[in-house]
């Protein structure tokens, strides 16, 4: 999908700048045309001559060429490109992008960019984990930018942890899949909640449920395969994701899931609420482990946030919302009521009466209900159920 694409590659002042050579090679091998824009600090790590030799184009760093006064138009670059990739992207550049500090050619190009922007951070683990960096990345994502998550590994500081830029071949693969204009959900951003939530009783106990997260993770993979950028909000589960278009945020409690979902939803085209969220949480959480007593233990519970209802209230006319209903009786009536009450566009109904198709299982059996009616499906693997649900969502998007 990169053949014939025009890519602006932004390079910043990171030790990982040498990996840009391998990114360029991968992009050009895939048929893309690459124009490098490098920050002044970036030139301290890799020379423009090397980059120009690889791209067969002059490297742009300054607003105008010192020798002949040629003006480099950031506006023209923003119109020329099919995508902008910033790799490596330092913490400093992240901050400038998030706050519009246009003090170099790379940032002005970013601010003028009409095409999708992909960002591959690279920095030491403490810088990456700093609240400022995390907030800047969330802010950039809320603008519609794509973050290519760094990996854990050995860092230039000698420490080991998260902050290592994703490998060049993975970055090229990410762009290739993201720029597939023929995919049904290309250009769409889908938020998915998955797994259970744990509501703490004390430091070692919690209220939870049997959800494995398998259905939600299958939905994330299905959406990504159809070209969507996926924001996966995962409760405590022992599952991993494979697709480069999936960005995962781990949470534990309903409160954490609520805060993350309400923050991300405004920048998404749709949300699929597959998580089994606890309806109640303890009114107070003991700071120390509760010891066994002869008397009965009474725990007062209070309702948690209703995430589906809140997103239903937030939903704009151009957004779509998919919910789930796990029922034990009056299934269709209860699901239809939830669809209307929570302002959903689609509700996926499954029943505990269908043994071996819900919690922990690799299979499911669902009905998909919308304003267009009800479609009943037979028992099948959750990966195939996910495809059915995503096809219904794609049709109304």
């Amino acid at each position: 999908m990169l053949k014939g694409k025009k890519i602006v590659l932004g390079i910043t002042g990171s030790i990982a700048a040498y990996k840009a050579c391998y990114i360029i090679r991968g992009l050009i091998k895939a048929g893309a045309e690459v124009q490098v824009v490098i920050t002044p600090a970036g030139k301290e790590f890799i020379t423009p001559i090397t980059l120009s030799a690889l791209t067969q184009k002059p490297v742009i760093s300054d607003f105008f060429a010192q020798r002949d006064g040629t003006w480099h138009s950031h506006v023209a670059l923003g119109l020329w490109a099919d995508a902008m990739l910033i790799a490596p992207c330092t913490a400093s550049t992240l901050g400038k992008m998030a706050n519009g500090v246009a003090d170099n050619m790379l940032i002005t190009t970013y601010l003028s960019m009409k095409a999708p922007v992909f960002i591959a951070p690279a920095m030491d683990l403490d810088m990456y984990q700093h609240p400022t960096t995390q907030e800047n990345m969330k802010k950039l994502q809320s603008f519609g930018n794509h973050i290519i998550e760094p990996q854990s590994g050995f860092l230039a500081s000698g420490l080991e942890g998260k902050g290592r830029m994703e490998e060049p071949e993975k970055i090229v693969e990410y762009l290739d899949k993201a720029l597939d204009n023929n995919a049904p959900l290309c250009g769409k951003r889908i938020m998915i909640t998955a797994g259970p939530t744990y509501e703490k009783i004390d430091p070692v106990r919690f209220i939870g449920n049997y959800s494995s997260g398998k259905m939600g993770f299958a939905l994330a993979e299905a959406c990504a395969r159809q070209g969507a950028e996926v924001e996966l909000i995962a409760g405590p589960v022992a599952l991993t994701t494979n697709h480069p278009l999936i960005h995962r945020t781990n949470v534990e409690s309903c409160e954490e899931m609520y805060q993350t979902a309400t923050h991300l939803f405004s920048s998404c085209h749709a949300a699929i609420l597959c998580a089994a969220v606890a309806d109640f949480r303890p009114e107070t959480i003991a700071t120390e482990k509760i010891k066994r007593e002869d008397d009965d233990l009474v725990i007062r519970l209070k309702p948690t946030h209703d995430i589906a209802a809140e997103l239903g209230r937030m939903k704009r006319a151009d957004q779509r919302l998919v919910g789930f209903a796990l029922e034990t009786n009056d299934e269709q009536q209860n699901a239809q009521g939830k669809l209307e009450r929570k302002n959903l566009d689609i509700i996926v109904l499954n029943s505990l009466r269908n043994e071996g198709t819900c919690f922990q299982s690799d299979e499911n059996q669902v009905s998909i209900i919308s304003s267009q009616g009800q479609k009943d499906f037979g028992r099948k693997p959750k990966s195939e159920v996910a495809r059915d649900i995503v096809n219904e969502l794609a049709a109304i998007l």
Side-chain angles (χ1 to χ4, degrees):
M1 293 304 149
L2 288 169
K3 187 174 183 179
K5 300 292 186 185
K6 299 178 176 68
I7 312 294
V8 169
L9 174 61
I11 302 173
T12 69
S14 164
I15 189 65
Y18 77 92
K19 293 184 178 180
C21 294
Y22 299 99
I23 294 173
I24 292 169
R25 184 180 180 183
L27 291 172
I28 291 176
K29 188 176 180 180
E33 186 178 350
V34 181
Q35 174 62 63
V36 171
V37 179
I38 191 168
T39 65
K43 291 190 290 185
E44 299 295 324
F45 290 88
I46 189 168
T47 67
I49 293 174
T50 300
L51 299 168
S52 180
L54 290 169
T55 62
Q56 298 296 300
K57 289 178 179 291
V59 171
I60 298 173
S61 178
D62 302 309
F63 293 105
F64 58 90
Q66 295 287 348
R67 292 181 179 177
D68 60 8
T70 300
W71 172 254
H72 297 140
S73 173
H74 52 280
V75 175
L77 282 171
L79 295 171
W80 173 81
D82 293 303
M84 182 176 189
L85 167 65
I86 304 170
C89 185
T90 60
S92 174
T93 296
L94 278 172
K96 291 178 181 181
M97 293 169 66
N99 294 283
V101 181
D103 64 349
N104 62 47
M105 187 66 184
L106 190 152
I107 303 298
T108 56
T109 301
Y110 160 70
L111 293 173
S112 301
M113 187 57 54
K114 302 296 184 185
V117 177
F118 302 85
I119 304 164
M123 63 198 74
D124 207 62
L125 74 164
D126 294 319
M127 296 177 71
Y128 180 74
Q129 292 171 354
H130 196 279
T132 303
T133 304
Q134 293 297 312
E135 193 59 35
N136 283 335
M137 287 196 296
K138 288 179 183 176
K139 191 173 181 180
L140 287 167
Q141 283 183 303
S142 73
F143 297 158
N145 298 299
H146 306 256
I147 301 291
I148 303 174
E149 285 278 307
Q151 300 302 306
S152 294
F154 188 74
L155 304 171
S157 64
L159 301 174
E160 192 166 348
K162 190 166 185 178
R164 181 188 180 101
M165 188 180 81
E166 180 61 277
E167 293 305 313
E169 61 270 20
K170 292 288 187 180
I171 292 174
V172 173
E173 179 187 355
Y174 188 107
L175 258 68
D176 185 61
K177 291 181 177 179
L179 297 176
D180 182 358
N181 294 325
N182 296 317
L185 292 177
C186 178
K188 302 298 183 184
R189 194 165 185 234
I190 312 295
M191 184 182 79
I192 298 172
T193 64
T197 63
Y198 289 174
E199 311 302 325
K200 285 186 177 180
I201 297 172
D202 64 17
V204 298
R205 302 181 181 92
F206 60 85
I207 296 172
N209 57 63
Y210 295 113
S211 174
S212 64
K214 291 178 180 179
M215 191 69 248
F217 275 62
L219 284 162
E221 293 286 344
C223 284
R225 282 195 297 271
Q226 293 207 28
E229 181 186 4
V230 178
E231 287 290 346
L232 175 62
I233 307 172
V237 295
L239 297 173
T240 58
T241 56
N242 300 310
H243 203 288
L245 289 179
I246 300 173
H247 174 254
R248 177 175 177 176
T249 302
N250 292 320
V251 298
E252 182 177 272
S253 66
C254 173
E255 178 65 27
E256 292 173 340
M257 186 171 284
Y258 171 82
Q259 294 296 337
T260 306
T262 53
H263 173 73
L264 292 174
F265 185 54
S266 62
S267 63
C268 294
H269 297 89
I272 305 175
L273 306 180
C274 188
V277 183
D279 293 318
F280 296 92
R281 64 179 178 84
E283 193 171 76
T284 59
I285 301 172
T287 57
E288 297 179 351
K289 180 182 176 182
I290 299 171
K291 301 298 183 182
R292 181 188 295 271
E293 302 284 350
D294 292 335
D295 295 335
D296 293 340
L297 174 64
V298 177
I299 300 174
R300 292 186 58 85
L301 303 177
K302 62 186 296 185
T304 57
H305 290 291
D306 189 332
I307 297 173
E310 180 59 27
L311 297 187
R313 286 189 287 269
M314 290 174 58
K315 188 179 70 170
R316 303 187 305 265
D318 63 336
Q319 292 178 301
R320 299 291 178 263
L321 196 55
V322 180
F324 274 68
L326 174 59
E327 302 293 342
T328 59
N329 61 284
D330 301 325
E331 286 95 340
Q332 280 76 18
Q333 181 180 345
N334 288 336
Q336 186 67 43
K338 186 175 181 179
L339 175 78
E340 297 167 0
R341 190 170 63 253
K342 301 192 178 182
N343 195 25
L344 306 176
D345 297 282
I346 293 172
I347 193 160
V348 180
L349 168 64
N350 54 2
S351 173
L352 279 175
R353 296 188 189 190
N354 299 322
E355 292 186 12
T357 64
C358 295
F359 293 131
Q360 307 293 327
S361 174
D362 292 326
E363 295 183 322
N364 207 345
Q365 183 174 342
V366 305
S367 296
I368 300 177
I369 303 171
S370 69
S371 60
Q372 304 302 311
Q374 178 172 323
K375 294 182 180 180
D376 299 318
F377 297 85
R379 182 169 176 160
K380 58 179 71 175
K382 286 183 175 177
S383 58
E384 295 182 21
V385 176
R387 186 179 59 198
D388 292 335
I389 295 168
V390 172
N391 286 341
E392 292 297 318
L393 175 59
I396 64 171
L397 278 172

